[in-house]
Amino acid sequence: MEERFIHVLLIEDNPGDARLLQELLRDVNSVQFQLTQAHSLNQGSEVLDETPFDIVLLDLSLPDSQGLDTFVKLHQRSPAVPIVVITGLNDETLADRAMQEGAQDYLIKGQVTSDLLARSIRYAIERNRTEQRIREQAALLDIATDAILVRTLDGKILFWNKGAERLYGWDAETAIGQQVSELLYRTTHYQYAAAQQTLIEQGEWYGELEQITRSNETVTVESRWTLMRDNANQPKSVLIVSTNITEKKHLEAQFLRAQRMESIGTLASGIAHDLNNILTPILTTSQLLQMKLTNLDARSKQMLELIESNTRRGAALVKQVLSFARGAEGKHTILQIKHLIWEVEQIIQQTFPKSIEVQAQAPRDLWTVAGDATQLHQVLINLCVNARDAMPHGGILRISAENLVIDESYSRVNLDAKVGSYISIVVTDTGVGIPADILDRIFEPFFTTKAVGEGSGLGLSTVIGIVKSHGGFVNVASTVGEGTQFKVFLPAVNALDALEEEDATIPIGHGELVLLVDDEAAIRDIGETLLTSHYYRALTASEGIEAIALYAEHKTEISAVVIDMMMPTMDGATTIRTLRKIDPQVKIIAASGLTSSQELATASLGIQAFLPKPYTAKELLTTIHNVICNTSRK
């Protein structure tokens, strides 16, 4: 032992037994013991409170306590101090029970020798230190943001840290004992099998894997597998450390797509410049010949007209290429998009096949944008024409618009999005849909799936060019056989002023206090303005810890809590669980830009409502009103 003295507290009321133990300790030559005696449990507890000891020798039969209860009381009071229990000859079963409760070792009176006593003390101290180190290491593993798990060679989970709980959604109690292949690789068994083969052959494996969470969300992880061996160098288990890189991979894909589009745009701009130089003299010459050669026969005149018309068509294509490359330049004014929607609706009602049902809607309080009316009109027409072509046998074409506020969470997973106020124009069809393998290419110029002569492949590239020139971005979602949705986001102007135009259809408050929790300042500011302008009172918090403190202070006043699920320091799920401990009846509205958060919230947190971001002012106020007024509990 490293210590010069081992400080021993003996809690023993029998003077003879105490003297015997003291004499036995004096006979140990390898180390010196400093012994202090207490005659009762209460006296021993008081001594422990005042003086540190390396170990306690505890008789289970004392004047003020008997049996297993003696150990339990002392261990609960001083859990960090190792205890060796002392029992009579007939109490070995009692000693075993004490070991199960946390005693480090036991001694039986009448069978103790000097060497046995010394070994027992050393063993108890070392075992206690080892357990303490294990507890500290386990705590560090739970603090780690990575998912850390240990499994058997055949895949049975043995250890599952807090990081794994956060990443995959299953708690340790549920995960331990499960087969990792069934829990995380339900659709990617081939990846698991390949990694397992490399692990067995080389002793380790490192790479990327696609896994499934409890909410059926697919996540991409960067994972390292290490084969653990026993003292005989035989494989016994596998240590796995995984980092969630789903967001990183998503952003990388967007970045690569943006780079590809930028390169194509640069190339298209150069080509368009050269084509204009080529087309100009052709068009001019064809027109000049028609003016000068008045005695042309019908066939020659028709050929010149054909040259002119096709040259004009080529010039129109070049103009679209330039719109894609840099956005056609035009004067930007303050526009109300709903007026453009009504105009486009009138045009397509008159020109599209009657088999296509057109539905258009926009809220009265739609915010305005700064833009070129002609260009944005072209965006709507191009999207509607694509929708028409996707429904050759008829269907439903919907055009709608709404106010949206984009927060930091949404912008992190959408490369082109910035935090702020937007209007969203949504064009949805019930057509043939777009296959997933070409979805990333649809905005490239000249890329088209239409037959030759049916399309130039410039409609969507023109859309993306115009929208980007307005500071916006486009999202697209499509399912083959069901239809496609294009969502155009344009920065709004005077969004806060628009909030002041009270919509009679939006329910108002009656002085109720609402706590709004979001780490994005713009969301809090706009939310507070919206609530107070509709006769609510508002408290705001920038993160979970602040929200908990405010709720504890105003618990009796707060009618509902709106919580962002994606926050630093303490996330929404942890905040909600803590609030429920303070008040099981708290009314929670969870908000997030991730559907997985909705699944998590509805599955395990017992919330009253979920708001997908970006949400409209009406959606927020209506949800708060419904939650406060709904007396039924989930």
Side-chain angles (χ1 to χ4, degrees):
M1 303 296 293
E2 293 180 0
E3 298 91 345
R4 185 177 179 184
F5 289 95
I6 293 180
H7 297 273
V8 180
L9 173 62
L10 172 62
I11 305 178
E12 170 64 74
D13 65 318
N14 187 304
D17 290 339
R19 282 195 301 272
L20 175 61
L21 290 171
Q22 190 169 16
E23 290 298 326
L24 290 173
L25 290 176
R26 284 179 184 156
D27 289 341
V28 179
N29 297 322
S30 59
V31 67
Q32 289 185 298
F33 295 91
Q34 183 174 318
L35 186 69
T36 301
Q37 184 184 358
H39 299 87
S40 67
L41 183 61
N42 285 337
Q43 184 185 10
S45 299
E46 291 171 359
V47 172
L48 268 178
D49 290 340
E50 297 173 358
T51 308
F53 285 89
D54 297 307
I55 192 166
V56 174
L57 301 179
L58 175 66
D59 183 9
L60 294 181
S61 180
L62 295 169
D64 54 351
S65 183
Q66 295 288 319
L68 183 63
D69 195 42
T70 305
F71 169 77
V72 172
K73 289 178 180 177
L74 188 65
H75 184 55
Q76 289 178 346
R77 184 162 180 166
S78 303
V81 182
I83 300 174
V84 174
V85 298
I86 304 172
T87 66
L89 285 172
N90 299 322
D91 289 334
E92 193 166 354
T93 301
L94 180 61
D96 286 332
R97 291 175 60 194
M99 291 280 288
Q100 293 172 8
E101 292 292 332
Q104 298 294 339
D105 202 356
Y106 69 89
L107 297 169
I108 299 176
K109 292 182 178 180
Q111 297 181 0
V112 182
T113 65
S114 180
D115 288 342
L116 177 62
L117 179 58
R119 283 199 305 272
S120 179
I121 290 174
R122 288 193 187 97
Y123 167 76
I125 293 173
E126 288 300 327
R127 180 179 173 185
N128 186 68
R129 288 175 178 171
T130 300
E131 290 177 350
Q132 182 62 30
R133 282 196 298 269
I134 292 172
R135 285 192 292 269
E136 291 171 356
Q137 290 167 358
L140 289 174
L141 289 177
D142 278 340
I143 293 172
T145 56
D146 290 337
I148 301 174
L149 58 124
V150 177
R151 64 170 178 83
T152 61
L153 297 178
D154 61 358
K156 184 178 179 181
I157 297 171
L158 302 175
F159 175 78
W160 185 269
N161 79 330
K162 293 291 184 183
E165 290 186 2
R166 290 188 291 268
L167 174 56
Y168 300 117
W170 286 283
D171 57 28
E173 184 178 355
T174 303
I176 291 174
Q178 298 279 345
Q179 282 291 325
V180 69
S181 59
E182 297 298 325
L183 198 67
L184 303 181
Y185 301 92
R186 280 169 282 169
T187 59
T188 54
H189 283 279
Y190 65 94
Q191 286 188 330
Y192 176 79
Q196 178 78 353
Q197 182 66 30
T198 303
L199 176 73
I200 298 300
E201 293 174 355
Q202 302 179 12
E204 63 179 2
W205 177 87
Y206 177 80
E208 293 181 6
L209 294 168
E210 286 191 354
Q211 298 174 328
I212 302 296
T213 68
R214 182 177 181 177
S215 57
N216 287 322
E217 178 190 4
T218 299
V219 293
T220 304
V221 300
E222 200 169 61
S223 191
R224 181 179 295 278
W225 297 10
T226 303
L227 194 62
M228 309 300 291
R229 299 179 181 274
D230 59 20
N231 294 334
N233 202 34
Q234 295 300 309
K236 67 171 184 177
S237 61
V238 182
L239 171 65
I240 300 175
V241 180
S242 298
T243 304
N244 187 0
I245 59 169
T246 307
E247 186 174 305
K248 174 186 172 185
K249 298 293 288 186
H250 182 64
L251 290 175
E252 282 179 356
Q254 290 190 58
F255 180 70
L256 290 173
R257 176 176 172 272
Q259 279 191 321
R260 186 172 71 247
M261 294 294 289
E262 183 180 354
S263 298
I264 294 173
T266 302
L267 178 63
S269 182
I271 293 173
H273 177 268
D274 291 340
L275 282 174
N276 273 333
N277 287 337
I278 295 170
L279 292 173
T280 299
I282 297 175
L283 181 60
T284 305
T285 301
S286 65
Q287 293 172 331
L288 183 61
L289 287 174
Q290 290 179 71
M291 289 186 290
K292 286 195 172 185
L293 303 176
T294 56
N295 59 346
L296 288 174
D297 58 70
R299 178 61 178 165
S300 298
K301 187 176 182 180
Q302 183 182 12
M303 291 175 67
L304 285 175
E305 289 174 349
L306 182 63
I307 292 173
E308 180 183 355
S309 64
N310 278 274
T311 305
R312 288 183 182 276
R313 183 181 176 190
L317 288 176
V318 172
K319 186 177 180 181
Q320 285 191 302
V321 170
L322 289 173
S323 293
F324 161 76
R326 63 174 184 267
E329 297 178 0
K331 183 179 180 181
H332 283 211
T333 59
I334 301 300
L335 299 174
Q336 179 49 261
I337 292 295
K338 63 184 175 184
H339 298 152
L340 291 181
I341 291 176
W342 305 141
E343 291 174 9
V344 170
E345 181 192 18
Q346 294 300 313
I347 293 172
I348 60 180
Q349 289 276 22
Q350 297 171 14
T351 59
F352 280 17
K354 300 302 180 184
S355 59
I356 295 178
E357 178 185 346
V358 181
Q359 301 175 355
Q361 62 180 27
R364 286 194 308 161
D365 63 346
L366 189 67
W367 297 332
T368 55
V369 301
D372 184 314
T374 302
Q375 293 178 25
L376 295 178
H377 188 277
Q378 183 181 1
V379 167
L380 286 174
I381 288 293
N382 284 4
L383 292 177
C384 290
V385 168
N386 274 4
R388 177 203 64 189
D389 294 343
M391 298 184 289
H393 305 295
I396 300 174
L397 169 58
R398 298 185 182 91
I399 314 170
S400 63
E402 61 181 346
N403 300 326
L404 296 170
V405 176
I406 288 179
D407 64 3
E408 187 69 34
S409 299
Y410 189 89
S411 67
R412 279 201 300 267
V413 293
N414 288 271
L415 196 62
D416 297 319
K418 296 180 176 61
V419 173
S421 302
Y422 286 77
I423 70 155
S424 167
I425 307 168
V426 184
V427 177
T428 307
D429 65 62
T430 57
V432 296
I434 304 171
D437 58 340
I438 66 170
L439 201 59
D440 275 346
R441 299 193 60 199
I442 60 175
F443 292 108
E444 295 178 8
F446 305 112
F447 178 82
T448 180
T449 58
K450 298 176 183 177
V452 176
E454 294 184 3
S456 65
L458 286 169
L460 289 178
S461 64
T462 301
V463 167
I464 199 72
I466 292 174
V467 172
K468 283 189 173 182
S469 74
H470 284 71
F473 61 99
V474 182
N475 283 349
V476 58
S478 186
T479 302
V480 174
E482 295 183 12
T484 302
Q485 180 186 85
F486 284 90
K487 201 166 188 178
V488 177
F489 294 83
L490 297 172
V493 294
N494 298 325
L496 285 174
D497 294 340
L499 286 174
E500 297 174 2
E501 300 176 12
E502 183 179 326
D503 187 339
T505 64
I506 296 179
I508 62 174
H510 300 282
E512 297 96 337
L513 183 61
V514 177
L515 174 58
L516 179 62
V517 190
D518 202 296
D519 61 311
E520 177 52 50
I523 305 298
R524 298 195 303 273
D525 293 343
I526 292 175
E528 184 175 10
T529 301
L530 178 64
L531 288 168
T532 54
S533 66
H534 286 77
Y535 305 103
Y536 289 97
R537 292 180 297 139
L539 284 173
T540 63
S542 61
E543 43 84 26
I545 297 173
E546 183 184 0
I548 292 166
L550 283 173
Y551 192 84
E553 182 180 353
H554 301 278
K555 173 182 173 182
T556 58
E557 300 177 72
I558 294 175
S559 299
V561 184
V562 182
I563 299 179
D564 180 21
M565 296 299 290
M566 302 289 289
M567 295 186 295
T569 308
M570 179 183 287
D571 62 15
T574 305
T575 305
I576 291 171
R577 292 188 185 98
T578 306
L579 290 176
R580 289 220 175 279
K581 289 181 181 178
I582 298 174
D583 178 10
Q585 301 302 312
V586 59
K587 294 185 177 182
I588 298 290
I589 301 168
S592 178
L594 299 178
T595 57
S596 61
S597 296
Q598 177 177 6
E599 293 164 354
L600 171 65
T602 55
S604 62
L605 298 177
I607 64 166
Q608 276 63 48
F610 184 87
L611 275 172
K613 288 185 175 181
Y615 49 75
T616 65
K618 183 175 181 180
E619 287 170 343
L620 175 63
L621 291 169
T622 301
T623 302
I624 291 173
H625 173 79
N626 292 341
V627 166
I628 291 177
C629 294
N630 185 7
T631 56
S632 65
R633 308 296 301 183
K634 289 190 177 182

